[in-house]
Amino acid sequence: MSDDHKDFDSFTVSPCSRGEAVEMAIQTGVIAHLVICLLAPFGLAAYGAGGLWAGFGISCMLAAAIPFVLVPATAAIGFFTHLAFHRTQVPIPTLVRVLVILFEASLLGWAVLIAMTVP
């Protein structure tokens, strides 16, 4: 028995459905990925690792990965986040956005690490 004086229904109400969580994750991921694609040429030009043209090449490769890597990964993040937290009082939309942004930041970190190690 719970002592917080809340009905069971107040815990089952979710701020968004699973489909909305997946759609929100995909939209957030695509926007964040396009921002990374725009920042990559300037970051590599400032670093001096191949200059602006290498940055455009990496941006093109990152943009080509959107339908094959980004959309399935962010859809999985949205699906599993909603599956794990839909009966809790965790704000699912905020959590989905934060997890997708962290995923994109890790991808950016890997791209920077690869660009720095390749001569």
Side-chain angles (χ1 to χ4, degrees):
M1 190 89 180
S2 176
D3 61 350
D4 57 2
H5 305 294
K6 291 187 179 181
D7 296 336
F8 180 74
D9 291 337
S10 65
F11 287 107
T12 59
V13 175
S14 180
C16 65
S17 68
R18 190 165 294 148
E20 290 172 344
V22 169
E23 183 179 344
M24 183 184 327
I26 291 172
Q27 287 176 353
T28 305
V30 169
I31 290 170
H33 199 75
L34 291 175
V35 167
I36 288 173
C37 287
L38 291 174
L39 293 177
F42 302 111
L44 285 175
Y47 178 69
L52 196 60
W53 291 109
F56 283 133
I58 290 176
S59 291
C60 290
M61 288 190 304
L62 286 172
I66 288 175
F68 305 110
V69 176
L70 181 78
V71 171
T74 55
I77 289 171
F79 180 82
F80 288 120
T81 301
H82 189 277
L83 185 68
F85 295 104
H86 77 283
R87 289 189 180 244
T88 64
Q89 291 189 351
V90 174
I92 294 173
T94 304
L95 184 62
V96 166
R97 287 185 183 115
V98 166
L99 290 176
V100 169
I101 296 294
L102 287 175
F103 172 71
E104 284 295 321
S106 70
L107 285 180
L108 178 63
W110 281 108
V112 167
L113 183 67
I114 289 171
M116 290 173 65
T117 58
V118 174

